[in-house]
Amino acid sequence: MIIDSSQGGAQVGLPAVAGGDCRVPEPGSVEAEFVGVDGTLVQRSWCEAAVAVRFEQLAPVAAFPVVPGRRWGPGWWWSATTGRHVMHGSQAMCMQLMVLDRDRHVVGLSARPVRLIWRDPGSGRVLTWVPQLFARYADGRALLADCPATCAPAAGRAARAAVVLGATCGAVGFTYQRLVPPDVVVAANVRWLAGYRHARHRDAGGLEHAVLEAFTEPRPLMAGAAAAGEVLAALPVVYHALWSGRLTADLTRPLGEHTLVALCPAAGDGEQEEHES
């Protein structure tokens, strides 16, 4: 009998365990289950799958639950990084998708692509866990993550799974994290900039060069937009550049007309490809 301990439900990780001990299985004894190219479930050794499988390209191995009475249900996030939709199951997960999508080093994203299966060394029970997010980085690193709605340490099954996944991922060069929900101001700013993530805003009205030139020296957001051209035409270009990291600003404070904006020193280095849809 398989005990399904997958959770339905952020970039600093939360503490894995609120207290207590957890015996960790050998990484070689952990199995990975995922959806193959033909739509059928495939089960392989985790150590083999981690090397051979492009988890960022896979469909979810398990659906996100719909909880009666809850105001927020499963949805889709259009990723500027991949040019495809990524499913999410909660507001917290959607927010973390935005944060990862904005990360210039992230090149792949997927939701619930793998179920990890292991036998608990203490009880002998077969346990499973489905991490909510997978991210692939340009340097080949990979992240499996869950997206709790609060900063409280994990407890119960989530805590035990976090310990096992931390060790299991570490054994193959992956990272597992329970991702910290961003500060409310940062979240609001990222959510606003995400509205301008599509590549159509990058050079809207042919103003991209003028916008970047306007912020060669730090200046207030609105003043820079006015210097680049007609304000209403320039603002989407400014916001897109702030989203993509070509411009930088302090997002821990509310974004507004007086926000100091500057050209990012690394704006021309390793810029992620932007996808049309």
Side-chain angles (χ1 to χ4, degrees), residues 101-261:
D101 201 18
R102 186 170 178 261
D103 189 329
R104 295 161 58 86
H105 303 292
V106 171
V107 296
L109 287 168
S110 63
R112 285 190 148 193
V114 61
R115 174 184 284 110
L116 276 74
I117 307 170
W118 68 94
R119 188 175 296 277
D120 180 68
S123 67
R125 299 168 69 197
V126 175
L127 305 175
T128 77
W129 192 262
V130 183
Q132 292 176 301
L133 277 176
F134 178 85
R136 181 80 66 180
Y137 292 85
D139 62 4
R141 292 179 298 119
L143 170 72
L144 277 172
D146 285 307
C147 309
T150 72
C151 293
R157 292 186 306 170
R160 292 190 293 272
V163 173
V164 172
L165 266 67
T168 301
C169 286
V172 296
F174 283 24
T175 299
Y176 170 77
Q177 287 186 339
R178 287 170 52 81
L179 299 176
V180 174
D183 172 84
V184 292
V185 174
V186 174
N189 287 335
V190 170
R191 193 175 294 111
W192 174 264
L193 295 177
Y196 298 89
R197 67 190 183 278
H198 197 282
R200 64 174 171 268
H201 297 295
R202 176 170 177 157
D203 192 27
L207 293 175
E208 178 185 16
H209 178 75
V211 163
L212 298 180
E213 186 70 22
F215 292 102
T216 301
E217 296 295 329
R219 67 197 304 177
L221 186 152
M222 195 63 72
E230 200 280 319
V231 171
L232 291 181
L235 280 175
V237 184
V238 174
Y239 292 140
H240 179 82
L242 283 168
W243 164 267
S244 64
R246 288 174 298 136
L247 294 179
T248 184
D250 180 7
L251 297 186
T252 65
R253 306 184 66 177
L255 194 64
E257 61 180 310
H258 301 299
T259 298
L260 203 62
V261 176

Side-chain angles (χ1 to χ4, degrees), residues 37-126:
V37 292
D38 61 354
T40 61
L41 288 178
V42 177
Q43 188 167 319
R44 295 178 62 178
S45 162
W46 164 247
C47 292
E48 295 177 1
V51 174
V53 179
R54 304 299 295 183
F55 291 113
E56 65 270 35
Q57 299 175 359
L58 299 185
V61 71
F64 288 98
V66 177
V67 181
R70 183 176 291 178
R71 295 180 61 186
W72 184 275
W76 295 91
W77 172 257
W78 182 81
S79 167
T81 298
T82 66
R84 297 183 289 107
H85 284 88
V86 181
M87 197 172 189
H88 58 79
S90 67
Q91 288 179 305
M93 183 179 174
C94 186
M95 186 70 246
Q96 295 298 348
L97 275 171
M98 293 185 201
V99 174
L100 287 167
D101 201 18
R102 186 170 178 261
D103 189 329
R104 295 161 58 86
H105 303 292
V106 171
V107 296
L109 287 168
S110 63
R112 285 190 148 193
V114 61
R115 174 184 284 110
L116 276 74
I117 307 170
W118 68 94
R119 188 175 296 277
D120 180 68
S123 67
R125 299 168 69 197
V126 175

